[in-house]
Amino acid sequence: MKNREIAAVFSRIADALDIKGEPAFKILAYRRAARILDEMAEDVAVLAADNRLCDVEGIGDGLASKIVEYLKTGRMAKADEAAKGLPAGLFDLLNVPGLGAKTVGLAFKALGVAGLDDLRRVIADGSLAALKGMGEKKAENILKGIGTLEKGRERLLLGEAAEIAEEVIAELKRAAGGGRIEAAGSLRRMRETIGDIDILASVRNGEAVIGALTGWNRVRRVLAAGDTKASVLIEVGNGERQVDLRFVEPDSFGAALQYFTGSKAHNVKLRGLAKDLGLKVNEYGVFRGERKAAGREETDVYKALGLPWIPPELREDRGEIERAREGRLPTLIERDDIRGDLHCHTTASDGRLKLAELADLMRAMGYGYAAVCDHSRSARYAGGLTPERLKAQGAEIDALNRKLKGFRILKGTEVDILPDGTVDFPEPVLAGLDFVVASVHSSFKRDVTARMIKALANPHVDMIGHPSGRLLSGREGYDVDLEKVIEAARIHGKAMELNSHIDRLDLDDVHLRLAKDKGVPIGIGTDTHGADGPAMIRFGLGTARRGWLEKTDVLNTLSAAGLARWRNKRTGEKRRP
Ligand code: DGT
Ligand code: CA
Ligand code: CA
Ligand code: ZN
């Protein structure tokens, strides 16, 4: 699908116009078009072929003809015109948190700033601060923003890395025409961020596979290409990331997979165990003296050490080897255990999917239910619902549910936790809902612990949404004591969210395990806003598994009826003196 590609072109136009100081309404039209395309479920090329582009809300004749132009020619004249005279590096500056297009335009015109290096220079020599309307403080904040941006770029988000790895592995497999090719490293362990992508291959056709890697269209630079190993830098966003490909013999594939999956700490512990048993483990196999005891399959490697196979998500030396020895590994939650999604948005607030579209997508995931949790009125930036609009949505949900068989939309809300710790809807409004997520979206540094604890005491609140508030791309999160909040959830019989969005993965693995140990259920939500949302559950699941979660630790492994029983039981208990 070209949807995303065209969305990127529209965003680029908006950015260019913004830097040039064009009027806001022009810019907004392109931004909106970009968002619509980015999150649209249907293939834009199909819509264009059917002459249905203009049926899409927010796409008029002008935009439609630009889309058609791009589909036909691979270019858009408007994009070239808008970017004319602007150095490419300027666009990257828009990624600096706290640096807007107006300032970028000003720095470009007044000081000739054309990229990050220039920007750092004009901050250092004071010339940026000296510009009209700037000042020391603003310049200082921009410098901080540069730091945040660069830190975020040191590692890829899990979701980004997974997408790249799948794409490249598919290319390599095509070239190999057989054999085994698999991702290892932190990606296989489903870490929330990934330093570099490690791929192992056991193929006959090594030369063709190396050719496919070095010739891949996203490769920017080839660092090494030998008989046993190749490394390339590929383009991601505005940076570069490394992909390492290693070739191994078929009868060592399992051992190599084990070795290069890591983590280093897990491997060190494993080698110690092997030594105690008079064995040696390396990337070629498990050896007793010269005799090779295992190597072809990873399971055999663990078996030779007297262990059951350990799922990659557990391999962090957090007690998994000891537990494996005792035969007490957790039975980690799996995709098929998930019966519904607990956190989705629709067009009623800031989502891109209509209610019926959301229902279709969630049903296609094999679920029995999905809770629509649009924002509440205080989240004005996100089109938060008033009680009246929530009620109207409820009626719409009832009507839709009457038509659906074997699937239900649950009436929910993502209600704002206000600065004073009350929530954004009065109790009678919440009482009519099937599921209530309460989240902090403002005053991140103000009494967040106390506010969340107060929200948990509200009898209608079921779960705290994205409890740490961090963004992996570079936002620190709330000033919150999660241990205390998790304890409050235990006392009130409430759940904590594991938000599957690739920039959140919040709670993280460490706090998930803490919640599990306290018996606090985790609700895995995707925070779906567009068509690509539902599938994000896999990253939530990866994180859940890293947190040692089992089926019984997760709320949405219950059926819709089970979920209702869980809520009722809690209410009943609370009523007892
Ligand atoms: P990353 O890339 O920073 O997200 O993390 P990893 O875990 O993918 O680390 P990476 O790419 O440096 O190495 C991949 C795996 O290879 C690592 O998890 C364990 C193994 N490995 C690499 N170097 C060593 C080493 O010096 N000793 C041991 N035992 N294992 C290593
Ligand atoms: Ca790696
Ligand atoms: Ca590596
Ligand atoms: Zn939220």
Side-chain angles (χ1 to χ4, degrees), residues 190-266:
M190 299 292 276
R191 259 193 81 174
E192 59 207 8
T193 62
I194 307 298
D196 64 5
I197 298 174
D198 303 285
I199 298 173
L200 289 183
S202 173
V203 294
R204 285 232 196 106
N205 213 347
E207 244 167 79
V209 173
I210 296 242
L213 180 68
T214 55
W216 189 37
N217 58 17
R218 288 181 71 169
V219 169
R220 229 193 236 179
R221 203 141 55 90
V222 177
L223 299 175
D227 291 341
T228 58
K229 190 176 177 303
S231 289
V232 296
L233 287 179
I234 61 155
E235 214 171 291
V236 263
N238 300 293
E240 314 184 307
R241 301 260 43 119
Q242 191 165 334
V243 177
D244 288 337
L245 170 66
R246 291 184 185 81
F247 292 101
V248 297
E249 293 299 325
D251 76 340
S252 293
F253 191 83
L257 190 59
Q258 196 292 315
Y259 181 88
F260 289 109
T261 295
S263 68
K264 214 182 253 188
H266 174 89

Side-chain angles (χ1 to χ4, degrees), residues 491-522:
I491 290 167
H492 294 288
K494 304 294 176 70
M496 297 290 281
E497 184 181 38
L498 162 51
N499 188 300
S500 307
H501 192 287
I502 58 167
D503 201 10
R504 291 190 183 273
L505 298 176
D506 176 13
L507 293 172
D508 66 10
D509 48 5
V510 172
H511 289 98
L512 288 172
R513 199 161 165 198
L514 183 79
K516 174 196 169 87
D517 290 346
K518 280 185 180 283
V520 170
I522 299 297

